[in-house]
Every structure is written in C-alpha cells, then in structure tokens.
Amino acid sequence: TSGTNQTGGGTTVNTPAAPADPTGAEAIGKSLLPSFGFNQTTQWGCLYNLWMRESGWNVYAENTASGAYGIPQAYPGNKMESVASDWQTNPTTQIKWGLGYIAARYVTPCGAWQNEVNLGFY
C-alpha cells in the first residue's frame, strides 16, 4: 500500500491508503468525554486542541523520532493494547486509552492542554 508523509508539530504522519477520518475520531472523542467524567462543554475545546496539535486526530499518526503513536500519541504505542488489541487502527480504542491517561495524570483535558501549552507535551 502507498501512503503519504506529512510533517507538522514534530510529528511525522505515515498515512496508509485507508483514510484516517479525523472528523469521525473527533465525534468519538467528544461523545466519550462524559464516560470519563469530563464535561463536554468545558473540556471539549481543550481535548480538541490537544490532539489536533499532537496528531491532527489521525489514528495512524506516528512520531518517527520518539515512536509515539495514534491520536493521543501514546509512547510506546502498544500501551494502548491495555484497552484492546486493535489499538493501531481503531480510534475508539486510542481515544479511550488517551482519556484514561489524561484522567490519571492531568485530571482533565484542560489540565493536559495547559501542560502542552507550557511544555510542548503532555
């Protein structure tokens, strides 16, 4: 399969022939916020901005320098397997893992976004 390479925000994105569907991933992310205890109204903008900067909401985003992978840029990517074995291709799996990570480490998406703004990562 052929793909394209894009570079932005320190992430090189290797996109396979199958489309990444970032708009669909964004809808999944917004819909899952309440199941992690996050308010959609106050937290959506922060989550959107965070993962737009990290991966462009691309399920196949890969930082070739660090090995971070997917929408939440998990490092290493295979830690998302704790949610499901389809972590390399399923936006729901990646988003669930990412929201769990945010809840455990930053309390809210806005907490993670503030770290991203201040330090360039979360």
Side-chain angles (χ1 to χ4, degrees):
T1 52
S2 64
T4 59
N5 292 330
Q6 303 170 352
T7 305
T11 300
T12 299
V13 179
N14 296 316
T15 306
D21 189 18
T23 303
E26 293 164 18
I28 293 165
K30 188 171 186 178
S31 74
L32 286 174
L33 283 170
S35 66
F36 284 82
F38 301 136
N39 181 297
Q40 283 179 319
T41 304
T42 61
Q43 298 300 309
W44 169 242
C46 293
L47 183 67
Y48 175 84
N49 290 338
L50 178 67
W51 288 347
M52 182 58 72
R53 180 186 272 186
E54 286 288 323
S55 65
W57 287 85
N58 182 339
V59 71
Y60 304 112
E62 182 176 9
N63 184 319
T64 54
S66 72
Y69 190 84
I71 293 165
Q73 288 293 280
Y75 175 76
N78 66 359
K79 19 166 118 167
M80 294 185 285
E81 193 167 30
S82 64
V83 173
S85 62
D86 62 357
W87 64 271
Q88 291 176 295
T89 59
N90 189 327
T92 301
T93 297
Q94 293 182 7
I95 291 165
K96 284 180 177 179
W97 182 88
L99 289 173
Y101 173 78
I102 287 169
R105 179 128 188 200
Y106 299 100
V107 184
T108 65
C110 287
W113 174 239
Q114 190 60 58
N115 200 80
E116 178 84 17
V117 168
N118 291 344
L119 302 175
F121 66 89
Y122 81 108

